[in-house]
Amino acid sequence: MRTALLQSSGRPGSIVENLKVLDEAAGRAAAAGAALLAAPEMFLTGYAIGDDIARLAEPADGDSAAAIAETAARHGLAIAYGYPERDGETVYNSAQLISADGTRLANYRKTHLFGCFERDHFTPGGQPVVQAELNGLTVGLMICYDVEFPENVRAHALAGTDLLVVPTAQMHPFQFVAESVVPVRAFENQMYVAYVNRVGQEGEFEFVGLSTLAGPDGIARTRAGRAEQLVFADADPAFLAASREGNPYLKDRRPGLYGSLV
């Protein structure tokens, strides 16, 4: 499945402008044959926008979700994007996957909040594995800091995730996560991992870009630089099956020894 990663911080504070950026990227991605477009963490509103997070937060089925569903259907590709989700008085840092026909397939709430900024503005989610079927692959959702916890990604592996989509707001000086941790997660869990980042200065944060799609062999199929980019790579189910057959990690596990982990 050809996957497009939109490395961009959009226009922080403007949902209208970010929907336009997403629509333009969807058009380019579809023209290049992509079946899935992934956008970064909090792409809908911007990340470092302080109290505007609560003001701009929307329900999972809100107006912006409807607009993105229309964009997905018009261009004929699925879209995954990050946004602040409002559920009553509670605000989550969420990611949603919408199919190529505009159906809302999956909504994930970030389970591991990073730093005081996120803990001040969001409530952590409680469901570690959220999946949907897309073009013959089981697609899982996760957000940024979540992927740095090996237990989180292993839970997806055990649940059968083939492609883990990770909208991200990865900042300096933690670029080693994109460069090293993400390919290792893909290898040790025998899956594809699409890690799509924001880029540039935003408030107090400097986002490092380096979006990547890593394969189950630990090799990056594509890697963006430090500027706004739309990059592409394929998640190949045949290669994934062959890799899983040859790599014994999941088969050689001894769960009875791991009780101390919980």
Side-chain angles (χ1 to χ4, degrees):
M1 180 172 67
R2 192 150 180 80
T3 301
L5 308 182
L6 173 59
Q7 178 168 286
S8 172
S9 288
R11 307 296 178 264
S14 176
I15 291 176
V16 170
E17 290 303 314
N18 290 329
L19 289 173
K20 290 179 182 177
V21 172
L22 193 64
D23 182 78
E24 189 272 338
R28 287 193 287 146
L36 170 64
L37 170 66
E41 181 177 2
M42 292 285 287
F43 184 78
L44 182 64
T45 60
Y47 181 92
I49 58 173
D51 291 340
D52 281 346
I53 289 173
R55 181 178 65 85
L56 296 176
E58 296 186 16
D61 60 354
D63 291 344
S64 294
I68 294 170
E70 189 278 330
T71 294
R74 179 159 38 84
H75 293 292
L77 83 171
I79 297 176
Y81 66 99
Y83 74 109
E85 179 193 355
R86 176 171 293 284
D87 185 358
E89 296 302 310
T90 305
V91 177
Y92 299 96
N93 183 338
S94 295
Q96 183 150 226
L97 175 65
I98 295 178
S99 75
D101 66 4
T103 301
R104 294 172 48 247
L105 294 179
N107 189 69
Y108 170 78
R109 296 165 172 174
K110 190 174 186 178
T111 55
H112 296 76
L113 301 181
F114 179 77
C116 295
F117 179 84
E118 291 193 5
R119 288 192 289 270
D120 286 346
H121 290 94
F122 301 108
T123 296
Q127 185 174 352
V129 177
V130 173
Q131 300 168 310
E133 298 302 311
L134 185 67
N135 289 28
L137 292 174
T138 300
V139 176
L141 295 175
M142 193 173 279
I143 300 174
C144 197
Y145 194 39
D146 291 328
V147 81
E148 298 176 40
F149 292 82
E151 302 91 343
N152 244 25
V153 187
R154 181 53 52 88
H156 269 273
L158 297 177
T161 293
D162 300 315
L163 170 62
L164 185 61
V165 178
V166 189
T168 294
Q170 182 63 65
M171 56 196 71
H172 177 81
F174 305 111
Q175 48 265 34
F176 66 88
V177 174
E179 295 169 337
S180 301
V181 173
V182 168
V184 168
R185 289 286 177 270
F187 178 72
E188 68 190 5
N189 291 289
Q190 288 299 289
M191 62 175 63
Y192 288 94
V193 180
Y195 187 79
V196 55
N197 199 10
R198 306 179 70 82
V199 66
Q201 195 73 34
E202 190 178 329
E204 63 184 289
F205 305 112
E206 179 191 348
F207 299 113
V208 299
L210 303 176
S211 299
T212 188
L213 193 151
D217 53 2
I219 296 174
R221 300 302 193 269
T222 188
R223 187 180 297 283
R226 300 294 187 95
E228 293 207 356
Q229 286 180 264
L230 185 67
V231 297
F232 299 85
D234 294 326
D236 180 356
F239 182 87
L240 179 60
S243 182
R244 286 172 170 172
E245 182 64 29
N247 186 307
Y249 275 167
L250 298 180
K251 290 179 287 188
D252 288 350
R253 292 173 65 253
R254 297 181 62 193
L257 300 178
Y258 310 149
S260 61
L261 293 178
V262 294

